[in-house]
């Protein structure tokens, strides 16, 4: 049981065990701080598919900006890449279709040639849409394709162990890695080794990031000391640059203003399966939940209501909030909040530092969800 605020600002009890979809009239909203999700390793593997927001996306549903030819080119190249993955390899040759794909694309058929594509571009240009479309377009059974974020992949290694992860993913045709970032030297060595082993076994690789492969880790740690590993990662990918502005804000109004706290509480009480949490308390709780479990943390919710939103106090907390924002966006969960607007979450030093692209992505996604929340509140 956990406390949340009632309409008078006093503590009220909420039951974290109450099943989703069964809020009785007058029942308390759910509370994220009351949840301590445990995710077994087999679920981690089974859930390596595109998130619900991207269930129905396809190359045909991606709308390229006519002023940004790199977007149309990315669709063409990725569709051809999917075709190459789907081609059965010749006897005794791993990935024959992919070798022919790279030859057609101006690449090489050397055994050490790149076996993947790396989508580089700013936030909101549709990289995840394209990555999920690649997953859907690849003609292979779902159990032989994997799709996950970078943090989910590293946690899978932690849950299964390195060798078991290689055995589990080594039989796949395709591994898609969304939000590829290197935040510490350990991840650099781990992922470099893992991708090398998977590429040797014929697994096609695809990744999205806001950072070019050769710039991974820049501004975060002493990347120069791990240059060999970073260069090894770059060798696995052919880079596709996707230019454009954030599609979430094309022709849309500015982010809605935060609501009054009593209005947030009203929405939380009226919305089925809504959660209601004090923002500083939620930030504290996130430190006790591994980021790979943030998806499970918000399972079954209909909306997320937050009181007292304010600037994030430090970088570790800010990075955890970025991951939560990604999981909320994946699940299309409206966010209703009081306090400071979302573009004031991260201080100027953070927005100018090595993780600035992550923070801008989080602001973009939370702003989009706040618009959904504003419609929910006005309804």
């Amino acid at each position: 049981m956990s406390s949340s605020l009632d309409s008078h600002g006093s503590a009220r009890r909420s039951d974290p065990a109450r099943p989703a979809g069964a809020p009785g009239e007058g029942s308390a909203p759910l509370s994220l701080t009351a949840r301590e999700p445990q995710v077994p390793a087999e679920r981690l593997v089974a859930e390596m598919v595109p998130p619900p927001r991207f269930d129905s996306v396809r190359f045909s549903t991606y709308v390229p900006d006519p002023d940004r030819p790199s977007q149309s080119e990315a669709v063409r190249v990725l569709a051809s890449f999917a075709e190459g993955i789907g081609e059965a390899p010749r006897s005794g040759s791993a990935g024959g279709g992919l070798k022919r794909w790279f030859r057609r694309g101006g690449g090489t058929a050397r055994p050490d040639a790149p076996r993947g594509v790396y989508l580089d571009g700013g936030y909101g240009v549709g990289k995840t849409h394209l990555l999920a479309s690649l997953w859907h377009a690849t003609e292979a059974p779902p159990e032989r394709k994997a799709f996950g974020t970078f943090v989910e992949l590293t946690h899978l290694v932690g849950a299964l162990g390195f060798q078991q992860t290689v055995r589990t993913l080594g039989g796949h045709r395709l591994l898609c890695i969304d939000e590829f970032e290197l935040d510490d030297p350990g991840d650099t060595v781990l992922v470099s080794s893992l991708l090398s082993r998977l590429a040797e076994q014929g697994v096609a690789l695809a990744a999205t990031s806001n950072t070019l492969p050769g710039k991974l880790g820049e501004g975060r740690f002493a990347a120069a000391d791990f240059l060999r590993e970073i260069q090894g990662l770059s060798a696995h990918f052919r880079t596709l640059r996707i230019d454009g502005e954030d599609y979430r804000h094309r022709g849309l109004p500015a982010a809605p203003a935060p609501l009054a706290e009593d209005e947030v509480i009203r929405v939380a009480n009226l919305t089925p399966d809504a959660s209601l949490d004090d923002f500083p308390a939620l930030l504290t709780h996130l430190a006790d939940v591994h980021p790979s479990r943030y998806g499970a943390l918000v399972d079954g919710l209909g909306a997320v209501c937050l009181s007292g939103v304010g600037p994030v106090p430090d970088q570790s907390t800010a990075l955890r909030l970025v991951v939560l924002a990604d999981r909320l966006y994946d699940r299309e969960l409206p966010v209703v909040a009081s306090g400071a607007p979302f573009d004031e979450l991260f201080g100027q030093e953070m927005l100018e530092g090595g993780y600035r692209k992550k923070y801008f992505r989080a602001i973009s996604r939370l702003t989009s969800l706040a618009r959904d929340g504003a419609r929910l509140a006005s309804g």
Side-chain angles (χ1 to χ4, degrees), residues 48-247:
M48 292 193 75
V49 297
R53 174 182 283 270
F54 299 98
D55 279 345
S56 60
V57 301
R58 299 294 187 272
F59 290 130
S60 61
T61 64
Y62 182 81
V63 182
D65 185 337
D67 296 326
R68 308 285 184 172
S70 62
Q71 295 184 8
S72 297
E73 176 67 5
V75 173
R76 185 192 68 78
V77 171
L78 288 172
S80 179
F81 185 60
E83 180 184 347
I85 299 171
E87 292 179 23
R90 294 171 180 170
S91 177
S93 172
L98 282 180
K99 289 184 179 180
R100 288 190 293 278
W101 177 81
F102 278 108
R103 188 182 298 118
R104 289 196 302 268
T108 174
R110 296 190 328 266
D112 61 345
R115 289 194 49 78
V117 289
Y118 188 101
L119 307 182
D120 170 66
Y123 50 90
V125 298
K127 298 186 302 296
T128 303
H129 182 136
L130 291 171
L131 190 68
S133 298
L134 172 65
W135 190 94
H136 289 299
T138 298
E139 293 187 5
E143 62 271 16
R144 296 197 63 194
K145 301 183 289 186
F147 185 109
T149 63
F150 183 82
V151 70
E152 289 168 338
L153 179 63
T154 55
H155 184 61
L156 182 66
V157 178
L160 298 182
F162 183 83
Q163 296 299 337
Q164 183 58 42
T165 302
V166 171
R167 286 191 291 269
T168 299
L169 298 180
H172 283 53
R173 302 289 291 278
L174 171 68
L175 171 62
C176 296
I177 310 168
D178 201 18
E179 301 153 18
F180 197 111
E181 293 287 355
L182 295 178
D183 296 339
D184 62 64
D187 282 348
T188 303
V189 176
L190 174 69
V191 174
S192 177
S193 300
L194 177 63
L195 296 188
S196 293
R197 293 284 297 276
L198 295 178
E200 289 170 2
Q201 297 189 35
V203 181
L205 307 171
T208 71
S209 181
N210 298 318
T211 306
L212 286 167
K215 299 293 186 180
L216 289 167
E218 189 176 57
R220 299 164 175 81
F221 60 89
D225 295 338
F226 295 86
L227 186 59
R228 185 181 66 179
E229 284 78 9
I230 292 172
Q231 289 174 337
L233 284 168
S234 300
H236 294 304
F237 298 103
R238 169 187 172 184
T239 301
L240 294 177
R241 172 69 189 179
I242 304 176
D243 300 305
E245 62 178 318
D246 187 342
Y247 77 89

Side-chain angles (χ1 to χ4, degrees), residues 243-267:
D243 300 305
E245 62 178 318
D246 187 342
Y247 77 89
R248 287 181 286 270
H249 305 308
R250 292 176 194 165
L252 294 175
L259 301 179
E261 185 167 313
D262 59 351
E263 181 67 6
V264 173
I265 295 170
R266 182 189 70 83
V267 174

